[in-house]
Amino acid sequence: MDTNDSGKVIIDGKDISNYNARQLTTYRRNDVGFVFQFYNLVQNLTSKENVELASEIDPVQVLKNVGLSKRINNFPAQLSGGEQQRVAIARAIAKNPKILLCDEPTGVLDYQTGKQVLQILQDMCRKKGATVV
């Protein structure tokens, strides 16, 4: 989302520092997942629909993986802060990004749920070769 003033930015063997705005947008859309601190969910979409926005894999399974099997058809206003955060995490990982940028992904989660989410992020690194920051 930011651009460099000098030097190169090499990711996956490609120098993205010379990409124009359209190329950067395509790169972010295809290769980068974001978990924002304040969720950034679409309020008039259900949990499932929010995940479907970015999904390359089954959104229902991803929501189950983050412990939301009973909240799939709920809107963000019907979810707690921790549940909204898990929807945001599910949305980010559903696209199988090469890079996942997380801003306090477990900050509003209880200990057990936080461990579960960290395990999912660790699995992305180990099993899918993603980079999680």
Side-chain angles (χ1 to χ4, degrees):
M1 293 185 173
D2 212 354
T3 57
N4 58 307
D5 294 327
S6 63
K8 295 182 178 186
V9 179
I10 310 284
I11 300 178
D12 203 21
K14 298 176 185 167
D15 182 2
I16 68 166
S17 59
N18 297 317
Y19 281 14
N20 62 35
R22 175 177 242 148
Q23 290 170 309
L24 284 170
T25 298
T26 300
Y27 170 74
R28 285 190 302 267
R29 181 179 299 131
N30 295 329
D31 293 342
V32 182
F34 298 94
V35 178
F36 298 98
Q37 186 174 8
F38 298 108
Y39 324 128
N40 289 348
L41 300 177
V42 179
Q43 295 298 309
N44 61 341
L45 298 180
T46 65
S47 298
K48 180 182 174 203
E49 291 165 337
N50 265 281
V51 175
E52 284 176 332
L53 286 175
S55 188
E56 287 187 11
I57 55 180
D58 180 17
V60 172
Q61 185 58 51
V62 178
L63 285 163
K64 286 179 181 179
N65 290 349
V66 296
L68 293 174
S69 59
K70 295 180 180 170
R71 308 295 270 166
I72 290 170
N73 294 310
N74 288 94
F75 292 95
Q78 299 170 312
L79 302 173
S80 70
E83 289 169 333
Q84 289 182 58
Q85 182 69 342
R86 286 185 280 162
V87 173
I89 291 165
R91 181 181 56 194
I93 63 176
K95 66 187 276 187
N96 284 322
K98 292 179 183 177
I99 298 174
L100 183 58
L101 303 174
C102 305
D103 185 2
E104 299 184 31
T106 61
V108 296
L109 303 178
D110 62 78
Y111 177 75
Q112 199 58 37
T113 306
K115 277 180 53 174
Q116 179 184 3
V117 166
L118 290 175
Q119 183 64 55
I120 291 167
L121 297 177
Q122 186 178 48
D123 289 346
M124 284 196 66
C125 293
R126 290 189 176 154
K127 295 178 181 175
K128 299 186 185 234
T131 299
V132 178
V133 180

